[in-house]
Amino acid sequence: MPEVPPAELDAEAMIAVLNRHGVAFIVIGGYAALLHGASTVTIDLDITPSPSPENLDRLADALREMGAKLRVSGVEEPLRIPLDRRTFEQFPSFLNLRTHHGDLDISLRPSAPNGKTFDYETLARSAVRISLPEPVALASLDDIISSKRAAARPKDLAVLPILEELRDQVS
């Protein structure tokens, strides 16, 4: 069965819902690169939330408001799952979701160099804060590059020259 194509991405609407619920998060991945000025295309929003229990409760509330369902490779329709703090214990690395506003990928521990992972606190220390008009924290360009290099997926490796050139231009 073919997978259902993603809903059109409305990242600003997702960010507004997350902010309204008081979720502490860092935008990572392709959307963060795009907001840094990269000429890349992305079809989803990737975030790393603070892992505090209270923040994960707020995140679960925001996900319920957005009608989030689990995206599973090879499964046509996204699956309903309980959205509460325990969900993040069951999916400790990442969670791929479909929402009313497009696809949202939650990465609790994004790839980092040397087989390690980033955590929220590390990303937050070097994050760049902007307004879309919603305020949002973006992973630094260096952290995005490091994560994409460490993940080493073909789509990540393909965008590295663009991101490195952008970093060299803004340095």
Side-chain angles (χ1 to χ4, degrees):
M1 285 184 171
E3 291 186 31
V4 175
E8 185 174 332
L9 178 63
D10 188 348
E12 289 186 32
M14 280 190 245
I15 291 167
V17 172
L18 293 166
N19 284 346
R20 188 169 50 254
H21 284 272
V23 178
F25 66 98
I26 307 292
V27 174
I28 61 172
Y31 195 73
L34 183 70
L35 292 176
H36 275 289
S39 58
T40 57
V41 176
T42 188
I43 60 170
D44 60 13
L45 176 67
D46 300 283
I47 67 167
T48 296
S50 165
S52 78
E54 300 81 15
N55 193 62
L56 294 179
D57 287 340
R58 291 189 296 268
L59 176 57
D61 290 342
L63 294 174
R64 283 192 297 275
E65 180 180 327
M66 289 189 273
K69 295 179 183 174
L70 183 66
R71 289 184 352 254
V72 178
S73 181
V75 176
E76 187 173 333
E77 287 293 321
L79 307 173
R80 289 190 187 279
I81 60 171
L83 292 169
D84 56 31
R85 189 184 314 166
R86 291 179 303 246
T87 303
F88 304 108
E89 294 167 0
Q90 294 172 349
F91 297 91
S93 297
F94 60 90
L95 196 57
N96 299 323
L97 303 168
R98 173 130 325 134
T99 77
H100 301 311
H101 305 296
D103 288 349
L104 173 64
D105 293 344
I106 299 171
S107 182
L108 296 168
R109 313 261 326 153
S111 298
N114 303 318
K116 297 183 179 180
T117 58
F118 283 111
D119 59 26
Y120 172 82
E121 295 303 324
T122 301
L123 292 171
R125 277 194 292 275
S126 58
V128 176
R129 283 156 178 66
I130 66 166
S131 293
L132 292 176
E134 285 287 329
V136 65
L138 309 176
S140 72
L141 203 46
D142 284 335
D143 287 344
I144 295 167
I145 290 168
S146 293
S147 184
K148 288 194 173 292
R149 185 174 288 123
R153 298 175 301 185
K155 69 178 189 174
D156 294 319
L157 296 175
V159 77
L160 276 176
I162 296 167
L163 298 177
E164 290 167 339
E165 182 179 337
L166 177 62
R167 180 188 57 200
D168 293 345
Q169 289 174 358
V170 298
S171 295

